[in-house]
């Protein structure tokens, strides 16, 4: 979730209007509106004041998960658009990374991916064989005991 969305959510959870928050921060209501719409960001001093007024940490307000440090979320709802956007961002980063590689690096990457796929295939086949053998033994034992009686 972006800063602008988190700010609006935190403000609403504390039943504050944009004007009330603006008064507590000594800024205009338009400034709060711009922050919540993502048009601009407050400076660091205001950011710390916002954290004090909203009784939250700077991490809670600013961390959008882009650094890979996912903090446990409380009371999360299934938001498919957020998951879809995360997936699209992930695909875009991979595409950009692959696009910036040299031809030699691209060939090496594709070969490594193929090797990993081959290893996963063989591991899957081994697991399938083991599961099949175990199920056959269980069924054989069950039907053998049923047929004896």
């Amino acid at each position: 979730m972006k800063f602008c969305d988190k700010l609006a959510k935190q403000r609403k959870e504390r039943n504050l209007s944009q004007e009330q928050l603006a008064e507590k921060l000594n800024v205009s209501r338009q400034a709060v509106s711009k922050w919540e719409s993502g048009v601009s960001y407050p400076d660091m001093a205001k950011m710390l004041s916002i954290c004090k007024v909203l009784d939250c940490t700077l991490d809670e307000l600013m961390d959008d998960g882009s650094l890979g440090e996912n903090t446990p979320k409380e009371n999360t709802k299934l938001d498919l658009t957020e998951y879809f956007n995360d997936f699209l961002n992930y695909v875009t980063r991979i595409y950009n990374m692959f696009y910036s590689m040299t031809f030699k690096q691209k060939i090496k990457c594709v070969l490594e991916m193929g090797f990993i796929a081959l290893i996963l295939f063989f591991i899957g086949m081994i697991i399938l064989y083991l599961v099949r053998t175990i199920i056959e033994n269980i069924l054989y034992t069950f039907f053998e005991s049923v047929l004896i009686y």
Side-chain angles (χ1 to χ4, degrees):
M1 187 182 289
K2 296 179 182 176
F3 165 74
C4 55
D5 300 325
K6 287 183 177 184
L7 177 61
K9 182 181 176 211
Q10 294 275 355
R11 177 183 58 78
K12 289 174 185 174
E13 285 177 356
R14 283 147 185 86
N15 296 319
L16 292 172
S17 67
Q18 286 183 344
E19 193 167 341
Q20 290 170 325
L21 180 60
E23 284 177 22
K24 292 182 182 222
L25 297 171
N26 295 322
V27 296
S28 67
R29 185 203 56 79
Q30 289 83 1
V32 174
S33 176
K34 286 180 182 180
W35 298 339
E36 289 185 359
S37 64
V39 173
S40 67
Y41 288 91
D43 62 15
M44 188 53 75
K46 286 295 179 207
M47 197 70 76
L48 295 172
S49 298
I50 291 170
C51 290
K52 285 181 184 176
V53 169
L54 297 179
D55 190 32
C56 64
T57 66
L58 196 55
D59 277 346
E60 291 172 338
L61 206 54
M62 292 299 296
D63 185 20
D64 63 355
S66 63
L67 297 177
E69 298 175 9
N70 293 330
T71 55
K73 298 178 182 177
E74 299 175 9
N75 300 329
T76 57
K77 293 188 281 186
L78 180 63
D79 185 8
L80 293 178
T81 57
E82 188 173 334
Y83 289 123
F84 185 69
N85 286 336
D86 289 344
F87 175 73
L88 287 179
N89 288 335
Y90 178 73
V91 170
T92 303
R93 285 195 314 263
I94 290 175
Y95 173 78
N96 290 337
M97 179 188 68
F98 194 77
Y99 184 75
S100 67
M101 290 179 176
T102 64
F103 181 73
K104 186 177 177 181
Q105 290 172 329
K106 288 178 184 177
I107 296 297
K108 182 181 175 188
C109 180
V110 168
L111 289 174
E112 287 173 351
M113 293 289 198
F115 183 69
I116 290 170
L118 190 64
I119 290 173
L120 290 175
F121 173 76
F122 282 122
I123 290 173
M125 294 302 292
I126 291 169
I127 291 172
L128 181 66
Y129 173 76
L130 291 173
V131 169
R132 182 176 173 211
T133 304
I134 291 169
I135 290 175
E136 284 177 353
N137 286 336
I138 290 172
L139 290 176
Y140 178 76
T141 306
F142 174 74
F143 284 118
E144 187 178 69
S145 64
V146 169
L147 293 176
I148 291 176
Y149 296 111

